[in-house]
Amino acid sequence: MAKWTPRHEAPEPLEGPIVGTVIGGTILWFVLFLVQVPFYGWFADRDLTWWVWTCLAGAGLGLIGIWYVRGRDAAIKRARSTEASGGAEAQEPGAPA
């Protein structure tokens, strides 16, 4: 069996307001949980309580996601500032080569 090889390169990852997107998604999951809590009896009668707990799990995982993407964003900004300051130092006149 031949090994599969891609025919083209993978696209670059999309960059955007990732922190805001994760925060918005987390808020949405939590709001959905709060909306469903008053109807817990209805969900329990139909054996659909997993809907309620799925929303709470989404909010909890979203909190972990917020912590992760904020750290990632800070690391990217640190790397860019280090790269920018390192490039500026190398171009100073009179600096030893």
Side-chain angles (χ1 to χ4, degrees):
M1 184 149 93
K3 183 176 179 180
W4 180 81
T5 56
R7 294 192 174 127
H8 54 78
E9 291 186 31
E12 291 292 321
L14 296 174
E15 293 295 331
I18 296 173
V19 176
T21 302
V22 173
I23 289 172
T26 302
I27 291 170
L28 180 64
W29 279 114
F30 191 68
V31 167
L32 288 172
F33 170 73
L34 291 177
V35 166
Q36 291 179 358
V37 167
F39 303 102
Y40 189 83
W42 185 89
F43 286 107
D45 292 343
R46 289 157 180 78
D47 198 28
L48 296 173
T49 56
W50 63 271
W51 284 27
V52 178
W53 301 118
T54 298
C55 292
L56 185 61
L61 290 172
L63 292 175
I64 295 169
I66 290 169
W67 172 75
Y68 180 81
V69 296
R70 288 185 71 201
R72 177 185 178 270
D73 196 41
I76 290 171
K77 287 178 182 176
R78 275 194 312 269
R80 285 183 183 160
S81 68
T82 302
E83 184 178 291
S85 66
E89 291 174 359
Q91 295 177 357
E92 287 180 11

